[in-house]
Amino acid sequence: MATDRPAPLGDEHVDRLGNGRVDHLRDERVDHRFKGLPPDAEGLTVGALAAERRDLFTGGFTTPVLALSAESLAHNLALLETYAERHGLAFAPHGKTSMSPQLFERQLAHGAWGITAALPHQARVYRAFGIRRIFLANEVVDAAALRWLSGELDRDPDFRFLCYVDSVRGVALMDEALRAAGATRPVEVVVELGAGEGARTGARTEAECAAVADAVAAVTTLRLAGVAGYEGEVPDADGDRVRAWLRRLVALAAEFDKAGRFSGPDGPDEIVISAGGSAWFDAVADVFAEIPELSLPVLKLLRSGAYVSHDDGHYRRLTPFNRVPGEGALEPAFRLWAQVVSRPSAGQAFLNAGKRDAAYDLDLPEPQVVRDGRTGEVRPATGLTVTGLSDQHTWVSTAEGAELEVGDWVGLGLSHPCTSFDKWQLIPLVEADGAVTDLIRTFF
């Protein structure tokens, strides 16, 4: 039968997450590898620099510098924890967004079941920091990666790993590699239902999904654990189309269960049904609430990841909280600070940040505030528009009367968290008063 979300992992689990490996990140030395950090902090450990609580603007940080709001981060973590609990969902946030073990630890402390990955390399990072439950939302056919996975499963009986399968050929490749590796524990897999013709990965029809499940049943190196997919790839997505696809996913699980695909002495202890990006998790919650009684408990697994920092563009427009405002609202946590280095005409200015520093794949950065280079006063970025990015310059159009001069700092809102995190290896965590209280390490 379907069950409510499992109890959140307690503090004891979080403390043991990486046997102190996350804490060891504070021992890393600050040096030339990390842009934006104070030159006079060279040689300090990350922990020592954070303990100084330097001001982002007057403490020696150089521009451009990406800042992550401590308050908005805490708000977003708590909001998704509450949302998942309210809707009876387990939650494995997609770690590709931040690739930050410090943030993974906080997500787990806020009730996450595990962390989602897209690639075996990401799973290796997770394991290096002690993540015990990984959902890999892709089919894995790389023999070297499967050999590593087999070793991890054999070494750690508490490690749980699930991944997609979407083809008979993929099942054969996985089986061949795992047998060659001498695997003793079967790899748990979920059949991926494609979101529609012309969408991304996944078997396109229920019949193809059944053929993949049959292939899994024919080998001993894999174990069918459920079904999954990504509703964000539904063609011409709207609420009705997304919910219709999600009901197909649920029906597929029910049909597999009716056919006895999850039964037997080597079957799973629960049936996994998983979906949920950052644009349609309200639809996932609605449809997963309709899951019928099945022969085993159901793990209803949501995988949204962009919520952790949210943004000032793409996800600000797409977030389900726009449709369900009574459930709360996420807060954009990133602000990229850049400095005006040229004001060649009344209608134009250039900042010292560019494609190497700012996400630009979905939207250009958005000027939000200006910090006066003379007085430190912060004012709205009235009359400023970003029109383009070069590698190391932001092109800014300035309206008539716009107040801006060389030396001013401009705070930019960013769109798309995934391509914001990946440009920065150490990101200052900044409190509302400007104090930098931590530095968030990423591993891309």
Side-chain angles (χ1 to χ4, degrees):
M1 60 182 176
T3 61
D4 288 336
R5 178 175 178 269
L9 298 170
D11 290 341
E12 183 183 3
H13 172 88
V14 175
D15 290 343
R16 298 200 315 266
L17 177 59
N19 297 321
R21 278 169 277 188
V22 171
D23 288 341
H24 290 166
L25 292 174
R26 297 176 62 81
D27 298 332
E28 189 163 23
R29 295 286 173 180
V30 173
D31 59 25
H32 60 276
R33 293 171 295 164
F34 306 116
K35 60 185 179 180
L37 301 189
D40 65 356
E42 178 96 13
L44 292 178
T45 65
V46 166
L49 177 57
E52 292 182 359
R53 295 180 60 89
R54 294 196 189 192
D55 186 274
L56 183 71
F57 305 105
T58 62
F61 290 86
T62 63
T63 56
V65 60
L66 182 65
L68 183 64
S69 164
E71 293 81 6
S72 294
L73 173 64
H75 169 85
N76 294 343
L77 289 166
L79 181 61
L80 256 290
E81 177 183 23
T82 300
Y83 184 88
E85 289 176 345
R86 184 182 300 127
H87 292 280
L89 300 169
F91 188 34
H94 213 316
K96 71 174 175 62
T97 298
S98 71
M99 287 303 296
S100 171
Q102 291 153 286
L103 297 185
F104 299 161
E105 185 171 66
R106 292 186 64 171
Q107 288 170 314
L108 291 167
H110 279 275
W113 171 92
I115 306 293
T116 295
L119 298 169
H121 167 71
Q122 293 168 359
R124 288 181 60 201
V125 173
Y126 301 0
R127 288 298 292 163
F129 287 89
I131 302 296
R132 294 193 300 203
R133 294 177 182 151
I134 298 174
F135 184 103
L136 198 151
N138 235 329
E139 187 169 70
V140 181
V141 296
D142 184 308
L146 289 163
R147 186 164 56 248
W148 167 82
L149 173 62
S150 173
E152 285 295 296
L153 289 168
D154 287 348
R155 278 190 291 274
D156 184 356
D158 293 325
F159 173 37
R160 188 174 183 193
F161 176 90
L162 301 98
C163 71
Y164 284 177
V165 286
D166 80 344
S167 66
V168 172
R169 170 64 172 161
V171 169
L173 288 171
M174 293 183 75
D175 177 58
E176 179 183 356
L178 291 167
R179 283 189 291 107
T184 60
R185 283 179 63 189
V187 172
E188 291 189 87
V189 295
V190 291
V191 174
E192 183 191 6
L193 174 66
E197 203 59 44
R200 201 163 61 187
T201 55
R204 293 294 191 252
T205 67
E206 282 76 0
E208 290 173 322
C209 287
V212 174
D214 286 340
V216 171
V219 302
T220 59
T221 54
L222 304 177
R223 181 172 69 183
L224 184 65
V227 299
Y230 175 48
E231 76 292 338
E233 283 290 316
V234 169
D236 301 315
D238 61 20
D240 290 340
R241 290 187 179 94
V242 167
R243 285 174 173 82
W245 178 82
L246 286 163
R247 290 189 176 101
R248 282 182 62 199
L249 183 69
V250 169
L252 180 65
E255 183 58 36
F256 278 9
D257 189 43
K258 182 179 178 181
R261 295 187 184 278
F262 303 118
S263 62
D266 297 323
D269 297 325
E270 61 188 358
I271 297 170
V272 178
I273 306 178
S274 179
S278 296
W280 293 104
F281 56 74
D282 58 331
V284 174
D286 290 346
V287 174
F288 279 14
E290 304 169 359
I291 293 174
E293 184 173 327
L294 301 179
S295 65
L296 293 168
V298 176
L299 182 72
K300 298 181 284 186
L301 193 61
L302 184 70
R303 306 192 307 271
S304 313
Y307 82 97
V308 70
S309 68
H310 197 46
D311 74 5
D312 280 297
H314 182 71
Y315 287 107
R316 179 180 62 190
R317 296 188 296 271
L318 294 185
T319 177
F321 288 116
N322 292 338
R323 296 185 289 272
V324 288
E327 301 249 28
L330 293 168
E331 297 178 359
F334 273 141
R335 179 166 283 171
L336 176 64
W337 288 95
Q339 206 162 13
V340 181
V341 292
S342 181
R343 189 78 159 91
S345 69
Q348 196 173 39
F350 290 89
L351 313 180
N352 64 345
K355 292 179 181 179
R356 312 288 180 170
D357 314 298
Y360 61 93
D361 54 319
L362 295 177
D363 299 284
L364 290 172
E366 173 188 281
Q368 294 179 328
V369 294
V370 175
R371 186 177 190 277
D372 192 284
R374 298 175 187 269
T375 67
E377 177 190 359
V378 177
R379 59 181 181 269
T382 306
L384 306 187
T385 304
V386 172
T387 59
L389 293 178
S390 301
D391 280 354
Q392 306 290 180
H393 289 92
T394 301
W395 296 58
V396 180
S397 172
T398 56
E400 184 177 355
E403 189 179 354
L404 192 70
E405 68 174 351
V406 171
D408 289 345
W409 289 42
V410 178
L412 300 166
L414 302 177
S415 179
H416 198 187
C418 300
T419 51
S420 299
F421 275 106
D422 70 2
K423 301 180 189 310
W424 297 82
Q425 291 181 287
L426 268 180
I427 303 171
L429 185 69
V430 185
E431 295 190 345
D433 64 359
V436 174
T437 59
D438 203 355
L439 294 125
I440 304 300
R441 186 71 156 93
T442 66
F443 290 84
F444 285 95

